[in-house]
Amino acid sequence: MPELAEVEHARRAWNVGLGRRLLGVEVSPSAGRVVREVDVACVVRTLRGQIFRASLARGKQLLFRFGKDRWLGLHLGMAGSLAARPPDHLPGKHDLLVLRQRARALVFTDLRHFGRVRLHLGPEPPPYWTALPPDVLSSDFTFPRFEAFCLRRARSPVKTVLLDQRLFPGVGNWMADEILWRARVSPARNAGDLDVRARHALFRTVRWVCRAAVAVIDEAWEYPPHWLFRHRWEDGERCPRCGRGLSRVVIGGRRTCFCPRCQPPPTRA
DNA sequence: TCCTATGTTGTATG
DNA sequence: ACATACAACATAGG
């Protein structure tokens, strides 16, 4: 379930092992697609015996440091998760990576094998990491930058633009719907056609939803009933704000749920 | 059997 | 070079 908040949750799930040594490293024989750009033997050789030193998350990207200069990059794909298990954990079918410590096993599970494992050696984080765009909650996520990006993607539906990780790292399919619903912007409207009110609402709401989602996962672990999240998954549900029946369509190849009353579609000229 | 699913990427087209 | 659109990837569950 990896969007921004779940990725952050995954990072914390491994933190229980910080400061402890990796006694063994196991890569599942079926991890071929996920461990596709690194040699399996190299992963084992690089990480085994090292102490787990740091964990970082940026958008949907995760980075873990072992020893002084060994970095493990993870992307959870569509259905990946991280967990700490008992030390004698027997790897399940989709446990693609298991890092053994004395007191626990740190496990990367990926049911759909859309995730990605990377490796980097050096005192600094890998170049791709350093080049990642600013977090939406950082001070570098500015309104002018947001506006310029909307202009660049002027002919795309705003729903599609919100999924662009170069500007909205961490925003995924359900978060994009949540943002648009709260900002009262139709997902079908082109990014270049947004009026100034809609642009401000979106800019504010992107940050609000990202912050709130992390807080919810941290505290309650369940999104409240007044979130669109709880109502977007099947046909026939009602808008938790106005009670009108929700619409479900496909935009840019992705399931999109919105309220036709709160988010009136663009009127065609 | 067919459809769906919280994501990215390669390729084709304009 | 840039923007846009979409099939493809692998798997499980309804």
Side-chain angles (χ1 to χ4, degrees):
Chain A
M1 27 170 169
E3 295 185 25
L4 184 77
E6 290 84 7
V7 170
E8 171 61 12
H9 185 259
R11 181 185 73 83
R12 294 178 193 174
W14 272 15
N15 279 356
V16 62
L18 280 168
R20 303 296 174 176
R21 193 173 301 277
L22 300 188
L23 304 177
V25 175
E26 297 156 26
V27 180
S28 161
S30 66
R33 179 187 158 82
V34 174
V35 191
R36 57 188 177 281
E37 54 206 271
V38 204
D39 183 60
V40 167
C42 188
V43 175
V44 176
R45 191 174 350 108
T46 302
L47 300 181
R48 192 173 48 200
Q50 299 296 314
I51 294 175
F52 177 24
R53 286 300 185 191
S55 68
L56 306 160
R58 292 277 298 272
K60 296 174 189 168
Q61 302 282 346
L62 286 161
L63 186 65
F64 301 91
R65 178 166 62 84
F66 298 87
K68 273 214 123 18
D69 54 7
R70 297 159 193 235
W71 307 82
L72 174 70
L74 294 184
H75 192 291
L76 301 179
M78 189 85 101
S81 60
L82 302 186
R85 303 286 185 202
D88 58 353
H89 174 75
L90 193 65
K93 191 172 174 188
H94 299 300
D95 292 344
L96 303 186
L97 181 65
V98 179
L99 310 180
R100 301 274 182 193
Q101 297 182 320
R102 186 184 54 76
R104 69 196 69 78
L106 304 176
V107 183
F108 167 37
T109 306
D110 183 2
L111 186 137
R112 286 175 68 181
H113 297 209
F114 282 172
R116 183 172 180 179
V117 171
R118 311 204 237 198
L119 213 53
H120 174 74
L121 272 78
E124 301 298 323
Y128 82 84
W129 182 268
T130 313
L132 287 177
D135 194 282
V136 300
L137 294 179
S138 79
S139 57
D140 290 333
F141 184 78
T142 62
F143 188 64
R145 191 164 168 277
F146 169 81
E147 280 193 304
F149 198 85
C150 285
L151 231 54
R152 183 142 71 93
R153 303 291 311 270
R155 307 278 298 168
S156 288
V158 62
K159 162 70 185 256
T160 302
V161 174
L162 280 171
L163 293 175
D164 194 321
Q165 299 299 295
R166 293 171 298 180
L167 188 70
F168 306 104
V171 172
N173 200 37
W174 78 254
M175 285 182 102
D177 284 0
E178 190 77 36
I179 290 161
L180 290 163
W181 176 71
R182 285 174 184 272
R184 297 175 184 261
V185 174
S186 165
R189 177 156 283 140
N190 282 347
D193 295 341
L194 300 172
D195 55 58
V196 95
R197 188 209 68 83
R199 291 200 303 270
H200 273 105
L202 270 182
F203 178 73
R204 254 185 290 111
T205 310
V206 165
R207 301 172 65 124
W208 188 92
V209 168
C210 287
R211 195 189 317 269
V214 173
V216 165
I217 289 292
D218 195 28
E219 293 153 21
W221 181 238
E222 191 167 32
Y223 295 100
H226 59 271
W227 282 45
L228 181 65
F229 178 88
R230 292 280 293 270
H231 310 271
R232 67 178 301 281
W233 303 101
E234 33 195 285
D235 291 335
E237 297 261 0
R238 304 197 160 275
C239 172
R241 189 165 46 203
C242 79
R244 166 92 200 263
L246 293 166
S247 294
R248 301 176 77 234
V249 298
V250 174
I251 296 177
R254 309 294 253 112
R255 177 61 61 190
T256 299
C257 179
F258 68 100
C259 174
R261 182 184 289 166
C262 300
Q263 303 160 264
T267 49
R268 281 266 46 93

